[in-house]
Amino acid sequence: MPVSLTFCGAARTVTGSCLLFDHDGTRFLVDCGMFQGPKTLKALNHEPFPFDARGIDFVLLTHAHIDHSGLLPKLVKHGFRGRIHATPATTDLCSVMLPDSGHIQETEVEQLNRRNRRRFQAAPVEPIYTAADAERTIGAFSPIETGAWLKPGKGIRARWWNAGHMLGSASIEIEFAGPAPMRVIVSGDIGPDLGGLQPGAEGPAGVDHVICESTYGDEDRPTVTPEARRAELAKLVRWAAERQGPVLIPSFAVERAQEVVFDLVRLMQEGQVPRAMINIDSPLASRATRLFSRHAAEMTEGEAMRDALASPLVRHVQDANESRELARAEGFGIVLAGSGMCEAGRIRHHLKQHLHEANALVTLVGFQASGTLGRLLQDGATRVRIQGESFGVQARIATIQGYSGHADGPELGRWIEARAPVSGGVFLVHGEEEAIEGLAKRVEGRGIVTPDRVIRPVLDEVFALEPGVAPVRQPGRGRRGDAAGVGRPDWHNARAALLLGIEEAIERAPDDTTRAGLLDRLRRALEG
């Protein structure tokens, strides 16, 4: 009997990872992540699941990042009563990340409803789930050690392999019973070969089907050692210190923040940069830091990491008022704040305060998805909109690639090749279209499978899987939105760009007569 596989997320986009498997009456998910990026994409979080949550028997979770775990509380809220199987570190991290996500949603919905009331707009919006929903979800977790086989359902067993991406991250091997057993490997997110806190990614050989992320599938990044990465960070920090400007580091609260703090403390201890307080302006990052200390033995340089995180040079900013005071501070200082793509969290009020300053430094240390504020800054925008206000960008925007928790194209190609022989198909997910195409060429060039077996699924697409044969597309069950265009910049991005363009044109106009003429033409265009 074929296994049915539905791609409920991370199809031609880098967020919302969620795979639905259906085997002989058992239905389960691998991951249940939140969509992030353009507003049209994030709107999918509010839509009903493309399946009945009450009919899901269990969940296998690759790791704790919100784009892989962030809709688990919604799943529970809508009737899921099974177990969520994950590594012990992932279980611990989710215990702080999911309630934090619920709190953020409650706060942002409250702010949105307040703005809408002032504008006499729309009925009140409900949060996707609350912090209380997330707390209930933690009770459904069942820790499973890496390498141990688990039998979560009839005719199904699974085991977790280290993925090298972040603390607790794993690829999941799934074996389906039958006359000829079928083996599927889901990569989760694969870490780089060098430079991260985690040991290198592993996995089984000789599988039927591979489902692999492709975040950086089109990139061949130069090898960046930890020493070279720290040297680049040191140059940037010295640049800001010499100009008495702030160093703002939008950072993912888990792994990335701890890794950057580790490097900053080491640089200060070695005298390579001026000593300054390292402000972690993220309650979630502070809670995650305590968990990193608990799991230090699982990481490379774990003891050194534990010492760095406990350094008196590190300050945890908890109170929101204290955060706002920090944003108003002048002169040289270092702030790490969420979110990593500048789409939410406390980093936004730091950016609003300092983006216009030529002596300010914004250092991007993670992937910036298409359509996000972080991507706009990375791509050189001279003006951006944050929470409905426009801001000129005079700050220096820098990117350090050495902090990426994702493998690049050649590394992903080697990881897939190491799963050979692959007798079925290779699905490329969790990537933008250019990245997927780049990785597809690497897979085809290595001869892992024939080109027709390299598959780029779209949202909600369904396939039948059998051992040793190519996957077969199934008739559509109805897809959400523009399935092929999901994840691309949307009309919200276009509107923001238009409004910024209008403001710039008005400001550049040489006199009031020209401005009046421009506004009159715009008015006639809207009326006509």
Side-chain angles (χ1 to χ4, degrees):
M1 177 180 293
V3 173
S4 172
L5 167 60
T6 306
F7 291 84
C8 302
R12 306 198 190 185
T13 183
V14 293
T15 63
S17 291
C18 185
L19 302 172
L20 170 63
F21 288 88
D22 193 333
H23 170 63
D24 195 20
T26 298
R27 307 189 89 202
F28 67 94
L29 302 180
V30 175
D31 292 348
C32 189
M34 184 171 284
F35 291 96
Q36 299 167 311
K39 289 185 178 180
T40 301
L41 185 59
K42 290 191 288 189
L44 293 174
N45 295 319
H46 294 270
E47 291 191 16
F49 285 119
F51 50 79
D52 184 351
R54 296 168 297 181
I56 301 300
D57 295 292
F58 56 88
V59 178
L60 311 179
L61 183 60
T62 62
H63 64 287
H65 277 152
I66 291 298
D67 61 324
H68 290 257
S69 70
L71 288 187
L72 287 170
K74 177 182 175 181
L75 192 72
V76 171
K77 179 179 179 180
H78 287 271
F80 170 71
R81 293 297 179 264
R83 306 302 296 170
I84 302 167
H85 303 284
T87 64
T90 294
T91 300
D92 282 351
L93 288 170
C94 283
S95 72
V96 297
M97 294 177 71
L98 294 180
D100 180 80
S101 174
H103 173 71
I104 288 172
Q105 289 169 64
E106 291 180 81
T107 302
E108 291 191 344
V109 163
E110 181 183 352
Q111 294 170 348
L112 174 63
N113 286 335
R114 190 181 305 123
R115 289 197 299 271
N116 285 344
R117 284 196 299 272
R118 289 199 296 265
R119 299 168 181 168
F120 300 102
Q121 289 182 356
V125 177
E126 294 291 328
I128 303 166
Y129 57 83
T130 65
D133 294 323
E135 292 287 356
R136 284 192 292 273
T137 302
I138 304 308
F141 274 76
S142 292
I144 177 74
E145 295 291 343
T146 302
W149 281 106
L150 172 76
K151 294 182 179 179
K154 178 184 176 182
I156 299 168
R157 66 175 188 161
R159 63 176 166 175
W160 282 247
W161 295 80
N162 173 51
H165 171 64
M166 66 171 291
L167 182 65
S169 66
S171 302
I172 302 178
E173 176 188 4
I174 309 166
E175 185 178 275
F176 298 91
M182 183 175 72
R183 298 168 69 209
V184 176
I185 181 75
V186 181
S187 71
D189 287 347
I190 300 297
D193 292 342
L194 183 67
L197 298 175
Q198 310 303 326
E202 300 171 327
V207 299
D208 293 283
H209 303 283
V210 176
I211 303 166
C212 186
E213 66 114 333
S214 53
T215 310
Y216 286 110
D218 60 335
E219 294 193 22
D220 186 353
R221 298 192 302 252
T223 300
V224 180
T225 65
E227 293 75 19
R229 181 187 69 205
R230 281 192 288 272
E232 179 64 21
L233 178 61
K235 284 195 297 185
L236 291 170
V237 172
R238 289 196 296 268
W239 180 92
E242 289 165 3
R243 290 160 179 77
Q244 282 300 295
V247 179
L248 305 180
I249 306 177
S251 183
F252 300 104
V254 178
E255 190 96 3
R256 201 60 39 78
Q258 291 77 25
E259 196 169 7
V260 175
V261 168
F262 178 44
D263 280 356
L264 286 168
V265 169
R266 178 172 290 188
L267 290 172
M268 291 180 188
Q269 291 173 338
E270 294 173 352
Q272 296 189 48
V273 300
R275 287 191 171 232
M277 194 62 67
I278 303 165
N279 296 282
I280 301 180
D281 192 8
S282 165
L284 174 59
S286 296
R287 292 192 290 273
T289 294
R290 291 192 289 271
L291 293 176
F292 266 71
S293 297
R294 181 188 304 173
H295 291 275
E298 300 174 33
M299 297 180 285
T300 59
E301 297 191 89
E303 288 303 317
M305 164 67 75
R306 179 183 287 150
D307 292 343
L309 296 177
S311 169
L313 293 166
V314 179
R315 173 192 177 208
H316 295 274
V317 181
Q318 298 290 343
D319 183 74
N321 291 327
E322 187 182 6
S323 173
R324 284 188 281 271
E325 288 181 15
L326 179 63
R328 290 191 291 269
E330 297 182 358
F332 173 61
I334 300 173
V335 177
L336 286 84
S339 66
M341 299 183 195
C342 308
E343 283 293 282
R346 294 180 176 181
I347 191 61
R348 290 182 298 182
H349 59 247
H350 291 284
L351 293 172
K352 289 165 70 172
Q353 193 73 28
H354 296 292
L355 270 180
H356 69 281
E357 299 172 354
N359 65 339
L361 171 69
V362 179
T363 302
L364 303 173
V365 293
F367 180 77
Q368 307 299 315
S370 178
T372 62
L373 175 58
R375 181 68 161 265
L376 293 173
L377 293 172
Q378 190 174 58
D379 289 346
T382 58
R383 186 179 291 269
V384 295
R385 290 178 68 83
I386 305 174
Q387 296 175 312
E389 300 179 67
S390 63
F391 297 87
V393 181
Q394 295 293 324
R396 179 179 178 182
I397 311 298
T399 300
I400 302 181
Q401 293 286 1
Y403 286 105
S404 174
H406 288 271
D408 66 4
E411 291 168 329
L412 288 171
R414 289 193 293 271
W415 185 87
I416 296 173
E417 188 175 31
R419 310 288 74 81
V422 179
S423 60
V426 174
F427 295 90
L428 301 182
V429 297
H430 202 283
E432 296 169 1
E433 288 200 43
E434 296 82 359
I436 290 171
E437 290 306 317
L439 184 55
K441 291 177 182 176
R442 299 180 197 279
V443 173
E444 294 166 7
R446 292 171 183 266
I448 299 167
V449 292
T450 56
D452 61 302
R453 296 192 181 198
V454 180
I455 300 171
R456 305 120 166 115
V458 298
L459 186 66
D460 296 333
E461 196 165 17
V462 185
F463 293 82
L465 306 183
E466 294 190 69
V469 299
V472 178
R473 282 183 171 86
Q474 300 296 290
R477 301 175 185 171
R479 296 175 187 159
R480 291 164 288 172
D482 175 13
V486 69
R488 298 174 185 170
D490 57 18
W491 69 267
H492 297 279
N493 300 99
R495 179 183 64 179
L498 176 62
L499 292 173
L500 291 171
I502 291 171
E503 290 178 2
E504 290 179 1
I506 291 172
E507 290 174 4
R508 286 198 307 266
D511 51 53
D512 287 348
T513 301
T514 305
R515 292 186 185 95
L518 174 60
L519 291 170
D520 185 58
R521 291 196 300 275
L522 288 169
R523 191 177 300 110
R524 289 201 304 272
L526 291 172
E527 292 171 351

